Amino acid sequence: MQPRGGYHRTTVLLLLRTAWSAACAVVLVVSGVAWSTVSTISTGVERSYAIPDDAPRSESGRNILIMGLTTRLDLHGDPLPDDVLRRMQAGESDRGGYNANTLILLRIPDSGPAIAMSVPRDNLVPLSSGGEGKIKEAYGRAKIVEEDRLRAAGTHDRRALERAGREAGRRAQVRTVSAFLDQPVDHLVEISLIGFFHIAEGLGGVDVCLRRPAKDPLSGADFPAGPQHLDAGQALSFVRQRHGLPNGDLDRTRRQQAFLSAVAKRLEGADVTAVQAMVDMAKQDVVLDARFDLVEFARNIPAEVRFDTLPIEGGAHLGGLDVNKVDQEEVRAKVAELASAPPPPPPNDGVPCVD
């Protein structure tokens, strides 16, 4: 039998490779197995019923949709404390809305490495609610429609509206991504900006490397070139910045993956107290679907997870909005290719430098 501390550390490191911030939240919750019972974990995490029991399922392996929301509110729709907003450097609590700015389809096969496929947030796609829009907008649009419907029917309790609206948003985001990629979604993970912040804060910051200096007042980014240590607020600015980067959102995706690598490196030297702090924090911020078996996930996830970003054709300007034009068949072909033959692993030479 593996020592208790060893099982815990191994579980954390394996799961940290699954995807960046949202997957980190899953990792932290699962890592609580080392100290607590399954029932404690289950009761400590928000659950969603957005994926119905009769939804299509993968015939082999599993697909997990990871959603990172832009909202500056907590799980109940309440504003974050002023001191937390100040340290996050992400603006006031009414900013951000409910766009799913981070969308990653994590494909876990029955054998071999897993593949985390980043879906560019500005892809113009058919939305499950009808019409076209940016893929990130499916959540927020459905949330508004559901809340308006409930108000018209006589529901005015703010928390009840928030809960029902978010469930409608999750359903719409799952259906939109599933239809666009022609892939079933077996599980979902949702986390908002405060969750990203809590992960870095629980570890005492992370180490990153930049190829050139970066400064962006919109995200709060102000970093010199080279390797450096970022506190939690700086780490959030690091993964949020897109203005001033050569490839905009695509470079931000690479930063998100670099952040994950930094968290994994940081965990290698973290003591039990620090990791436990992250576990406790993650329980406040993460939402999992009701059928997500955390213990089974921890025991069976592949030791190796690779990353890629799904293709776009180029930017377009429609109705005052910048969107990505996409060839749906090309994207679906890329998904099938990555699922069957993930890219080779990057060289293991420490924290990667990014733009």
Side-chain angles (χ1 to χ4, degrees), residues 60-82:
S60 63
R62 286 168 294 167
N63 290 332
I64 301 173
L65 179 61
I66 299 167
M67 303 185 291
L69 300 184
T70 55
T71 180
R72 276 70 163 167
L73 305 175
D74 67 14
L75 278 178
H76 305 293
D78 294 324
L80 301 173
D82 289 341

Side-chain angles (χ1 to χ4, degrees), residues 55 126 188 224 279 282 298 306 354:
L188 71 85
V279 173
R306 302 174 186 176
V354 295

Side-chain angles (χ1 to χ4, degrees), residues 187-208:
H187 298 295
L188 71 85
V189 178
E190 174 192 299
I191 191 170
S192 54
L193 283 180
I194 184 59
F196 308 157
F197 177 81
H198 277 158
I199 289 168
E201 186 177 50
L203 278 177
V206 295
D207 297 314
V208 302

Side-chain angles (χ1 to χ4, degrees), residues 2 6-19 23-24 26-28 30-31 106 108 114 260 264 267-268 297-307:
Q2 191 171 14
Y7 172 76
H8 160 73
R9 184 63 46 79
T10 299
T11 301
V12 172
L13 291 176
L14 289 181
L15 294 183
L16 272 170
R17 298 187 182 100
T18 59
C24 289
V26 178
V27 172
L28 304 177
V30 174
S31 66
L106 175 64
I108 301 179
L260 174 61
L267 264 177
E268 290 176 1
F297 179 64
R299 289 173 177 166
N300 294 292
I301 188 170
E304 184 179 2
V305 179
R306 302 174 186 176
F307 298 88

Side-chain angles (χ1 to χ4, degrees), residues 144-322:
I144 291 172
V145 169
E146 179 66 6
E147 290 175 354
D148 288 346
R149 184 188 70 80
L150 290 174
R151 287 191 190 94
T155 299
H156 300 289
D157 179 80
R158 186 183 60 80
R159 285 205 169 188
L161 290 169
E162 180 74 12
R163 185 167 54 252
R166 286 201 180 191
E167 279 289 84
R170 293 168 192 136
R171 286 193 298 271
Q173 197 67 64
V174 166
R175 290 171 182 168
T176 297
V177 173
S178 178
F180 176 60
L181 301 183
D182 194 27
Q183 291 286 319
V185 173
D186 303 291
H187 298 295
L188 71 85
V189 178
E190 174 192 299
I191 191 170
S192 54
L193 283 180
I194 184 59
F196 308 157
F197 177 81
H198 277 158
I199 289 168
E201 186 177 50
L203 278 177
V206 295
D207 297 314
V208 302
C209 179
L210 286 173
R211 294 192 180 101
R212 55 183 61 86
K215 189 166 185 177
D216 171 34
L218 293 175
S219 64
D222 188 1
F223 311 122
Q228 55 204 284
H229 181 79
L230 305 183
D231 64 25
Q234 291 172 320
L236 187 59
S237 295
F238 174 79
V239 298
R240 287 182 58 234
Q241 183 185 0
R242 62 187 176 96
H243 297 282
L245 299 179
N247 297 296
D249 271 337
L250 297 182
D251 280 338
R252 178 162 63 174
T253 296
R254 296 183 183 96
R255 283 193 176 195
Q256 294 166 0
Q257 296 173 0
F259 173 84
L260 174 61
S261 175
V263 171
K265 291 285 184 183
R266 191 78 173 160
L267 264 177
E268 290 176 1
D271 60 23
V272 171
T273 302
V275 179
Q276 182 65 62
M278 287 198 302
V279 173
D280 294 337
M281 288 177 174
K283 288 184 179 181
Q284 306 171 51
D285 308 316
V286 69
V287 178
L288 306 174
D289 67 275
R291 293 179 55 167
F292 204 144
D293 186 331
L294 297 177
V295 177
E296 186 268 341
F297 179 64
R299 289 173 177 166
N300 294 292
I301 188 170
E304 184 179 2
V305 179
R306 302 174 186 176
F307 298 88
D308 212 312
T309 302
L310 297 180
I312 62 173
E313 293 182 11
H317 201 66
L318 300 175
L321 299 175
D322 291 319

Side-chain angles (χ1 to χ4, degrees), residues 39-55:
S39 61
T40 299
I41 298 171
S42 297
T43 56
V45 180
E46 184 85 6
R47 293 288 185 166
S48 167
Y49 295 88
I51 303 177
D53 291 342
D54 61 353

